[in-house]
Amino acid sequence: MAAPPRERSSPALDATSKRIIEHLQADGRRSYAAIAADVGLSEAAVRQRVARLVEAGVMQVVAVTDPMQVGFPRQAMVGVRCAGDVTEVARALAELDEVTYVVASAGTFDVLLEVVCEDDDHLLDLISRRVRAVPGVASTETLVYLKLIKQRYDWGTR
């Protein structure tokens, strides 16, 4: 499970850092030497910038998998209504292994979770016995994914 973003102020991103991020969004395996040649820095300087961006929680460099192909064919978005401190509920829910994405939101739901499960029984157990057992969870609504149409991570830094 990936660590949640750190709660601290993000560093100001200059044009060079944004270009480095865009390179890594396009191909997370791109070498620092290739990025350095494009952005006009040394390989060591690119490596240091990437390390600072990762440490600051601005980005992660990870392998993105297709959950269907790695044993998790049941995916869902779970809307959670909270009674109490939304941030505390969100943090507790983020600790569940099946939860891949957590946001506090405005509107119908206080928290949105994306989950990946092995099958419907796994999803049922997760929602009924573990998500709803978290103190402060008042109710949930589960939206089961039927088909992944689009998933992108190369949207740049605009």
Side-chain angles (χ1 to χ4, degrees):
M1 179 168 74
R6 292 174 182 82
E7 290 187 20
R8 63 172 100 159
S9 61
S10 296
L13 296 179
D14 63 10
T16 302
S17 289
K18 288 179 179 182
R19 284 177 47 209
I20 291 169
I21 291 168
E22 289 168 356
H23 274 282
L24 292 170
Q25 282 181 324
D27 179 359
R29 298 176 301 163
R30 188 164 290 155
S31 73
Y32 292 144
I35 296 169
D38 180 65
V39 302
L41 294 176
S42 69
E43 181 178 346
V46 169
R47 181 177 290 110
Q48 289 171 347
R49 280 195 189 224
V50 169
R52 283 195 304 266
L53 292 167
V54 169
E55 174 61 28
V58 172
M59 69 175 192
Q60 299 174 35
V61 181
V62 298
V64 177
T65 61
D66 177 346
M68 296 283 288
Q69 294 190 45
V70 294
F72 300 102
R74 178 50 71 218
Q75 301 166 63
M77 181 66 68
V78 181
V80 179
R81 291 178 191 89
C82 300
D85 186 334
V86 171
T87 303
E88 288 303 314
V89 172
R91 285 187 178 134
L93 292 167
E95 295 298 317
L96 299 171
D97 287 338
E98 295 88 348
V99 174
T100 61
Y101 179 79
V102 179
V103 294
S105 60
T108 303
F109 302 107
D110 300 306
V111 177
L112 293 171
L113 313 173
E114 185 172 54
V115 301
V116 294
C117 296
E118 296 168 4
D119 53 32
D120 287 337
D121 288 335
H122 184 186
L123 178 61
L124 176 61
D125 179 71
L126 173 67
I127 300 302
S128 64
R129 292 191 334 107
R130 296 194 289 138
V131 169
R132 291 182 181 158
V134 170
V137 171
S139 67
T140 65
E141 184 172 332
T142 303
L143 303 132
V144 174
Y145 296 0
L146 298 176
K147 183 177 183 179
L148 178 63
I149 306 299
K150 181 178 182 178
Q151 180 176 336
R152 285 189 44 207
Y153 296 98
D154 61 345
W155 38 267
T157 57
R158 290 175 250 227

